[in-house]
Amino acid sequence: MVLSTSSLDDARVPRPSPRHAQAPELVAFGAAVRERRLALGLSQEALAHAAGIDRSYMSSVERGGQNVGLVLAAQIARALDIKLAELAAASGL
């Protein structure tokens, strides 16, 4: 099966988690990520690179558009040099 370039590009674009996008917990987690990132003086791109994820996905996480799984949340916390429990506590979870 041959995929067109546009379908490959579509696969790389983060899609919001429609069922949970903008849930208060996701918005709070994203705000805690953003606050920590800014306190460390990191760009979104630098954080995304350190966490091993796409920058546009990181942007969506910070806006509360992604229902982040445990593994990805741990990767983000490591990239922010903070324990996942501390990041969750900072978000009020």
Side-chain angles (χ1 to χ4, degrees), residues 3-92:
L3 296 175
S4 71
T5 303
S6 62
S7 64
L8 287 176
D9 291 339
D10 291 343
R12 293 183 194 129
V13 175
R15 296 183 186 186
S17 305
R19 214 165 157 203
H20 301 289
Q22 302 306 310
E25 298 86 355
L26 297 180
V27 172
F29 182 78
V33 168
R34 182 181 312 109
E35 184 177 320
R36 176 73 177 179
R37 174 179 64 78
L38 293 174
L40 294 173
L42 294 173
S43 67
Q44 249 182 15
E45 186 172 10
L47 174 57
H49 179 72
I53 61 176
D54 186 78
R55 191 225 35 94
S56 58
Y57 189 89
M58 182 60 71
S59 174
S60 188
V61 167
E62 287 189 3
R63 290 190 321 272
Q66 295 297 330
N67 189 9
V68 179
L70 185 59
V71 171
L72 184 58
Q75 286 174 224
I76 293 169
R78 271 193 300 277
L80 290 169
D81 195 29
I82 190 172
K83 292 181 186 260
L84 179 55
E86 293 173 303
L87 187 57
S91 66

